[in-house]
């Protein structure tokens, strides 16, 4: 289990487009928002993609890369993960217990606390 404030492992994940990502590639560059639910329907995944695209200016302003993960290592539990630009685990939301507004507020709070 991840510990808040500790560095995340260098997970290698694959997004919905089939692109591979090493999470440590984003360190010092941007925050990460990882959305992973292997049981989510294709309609849900499409709804997430549309929501991210519709709010892209906000994610850019927050300097956040949103990854909707299709394939993750075995030790990754489904849910939404917030990781800061230094690769530190910030927060976790279990599946079905988050909204994009929750995630956005969490990142705004992080920025306000660290400025």
């Amino acid at each position: 289990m991840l510990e808040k404030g500790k560095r995340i492992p260098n997970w290698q994940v694959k997004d919905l487009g089939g692109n591979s990502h090493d999470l440590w590639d984003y360190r010092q560059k941007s925050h990460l928002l990882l959305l992973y639910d292997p049981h989510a329907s294709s309609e849900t995944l499409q709804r997430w993609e549309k929501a991210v695209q519709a709010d892209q200016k906000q994610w850019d302003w927050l300097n956040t890369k949103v990854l909707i993960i299709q394939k993750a290592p075995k030790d990754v539990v489904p849910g939404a993960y917030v990781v800061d630009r230094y690769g530190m685990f910030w927060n976790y939301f279990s599946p079905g217990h988050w909204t994009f507004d929750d995630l956005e507020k969490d990142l705004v709070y992080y920025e306000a606390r660290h400025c």
Side-chain angles (χ1 to χ4, degrees):
M1 186 67 175
L2 294 174
E3 190 175 332
K4 197 170 187 176
K6 300 289 183 180
R7 192 171 314 280
I8 60 164
N10 187 20
W11 288 331
Q12 294 180 336
V13 299
K14 194 170 280 197
D15 66 20
L16 292 179
N19 301 311
S20 294
H21 302 269
D22 290 336
L23 299 189
W24 285 6
D25 288 346
Y26 294 97
R27 284 174 46 196
Q28 304 288 331
K29 296 175 187 162
S30 65
H31 300 303
L32 284 174
L33 182 55
L34 309 172
L35 307 177
Y36 178 59
D37 188 350
H39 304 295
S41 67
S42 58
E43 292 82 19
T44 297
L45 297 174
Q46 288 176 354
R47 190 173 70 246
W48 291 355
E49 282 186 310
K50 287 180 184 177
V52 170
Q53 290 170 357
D55 226 9
Q56 190 60 53
K57 285 183 183 179
Q58 184 70 7
W59 300 121
D60 290 345
W61 179 76
L62 288 167
N63 193 28
T64 301
K65 174 70 173 172
V66 181
L67 295 175
I68 302 172
I69 300 171
Q70 179 180 31
K71 186 174 181 188
K74 293 178 200 172
D75 57 337
V76 178
V77 178
Y81 296 81
V82 181
V83 178
D84 77 5
R85 74 175 111 287
Y86 304 107
M88 302 298 186
F89 173 63
W90 173 252
N91 210 350
Y92 169 80
F93 297 84
S94 58
H97 293 94
W98 61 269
T99 65
F100 281 101
D101 284 340
D102 294 333
L103 301 173
E104 184 178 319
K105 286 176 191 173
D106 207 53
L107 284 159
V108 168
Y109 173 74
Y110 174 90
E111 286 295 331
R113 196 165 165 232
H114 290 89
C115 63

